[in-house]
Amino acid sequence: MVLLHTQQTVKYLRVAPAAIWTLDYFLTLEHEIRLFSSMSCWSVAIVMFILTRYAPVVWIISETYATLGRQSVETCVTSYRASGGRSPRVR
């Protein structure tokens, strides 16, 4: 029973950054739209801001899927390998 409780806590802690990022996104969206619509030209700083602001979307989607989705052993091994882990032996 303790193991199940611990697993659920780990899931909550892995999904919590997605909730915080989503909240921040919606709280500042109006300000971003107003700022970008008032600018006449784009600079390197603006492009860097957009990349750093919206790059976490890919991480959040993949992390939420990995945390909440049911996965087979093969999927877990593939995810582990993609993250740079050594190939475990699957029997």
Side-chain angles (χ1 to χ4, degrees):
M1 185 68 176
V2 173
L3 180 60
L4 291 175
H5 179 69
T6 303
Q7 287 177 343
Q8 190 64 37
T9 303
V10 168
K11 284 184 179 184
Y12 289 149
L13 291 174
R14 291 182 77 186
V15 175
I20 293 169
W21 185 88
T22 304
L23 175 66
D24 179 61
Y25 174 79
F26 284 113
L27 288 176
T28 59
L29 181 63
E30 181 182 351
H31 300 291
E32 286 179 35
I33 292 171
R34 195 176 307 138
L35 176 68
F36 291 133
S37 64
S38 68
M39 300 179 95
S40 60
C41 65
W42 288 64
S43 68
V44 174
I46 293 172
V47 172
M48 288 175 53
F49 170 78
I50 290 173
L51 288 175
T52 58
R53 173 80 171 156
Y54 297 104
V57 172
V58 175
W59 173 76
I60 287 171
I61 291 171
S62 64
E63 189 67 24
T64 303
Y65 172 76
T67 300
L68 300 178
R70 296 185 183 259
Q71 299 178 355
S72 65
V73 172
E74 291 81 19
T75 306
C76 288
V77 170
T78 303
S79 298
Y80 183 72
R81 287 179 187 161
S83 67
R86 293 179 50 186
S87 178
R89 294 183 183 175
V90 179
R91 293 183 185 194

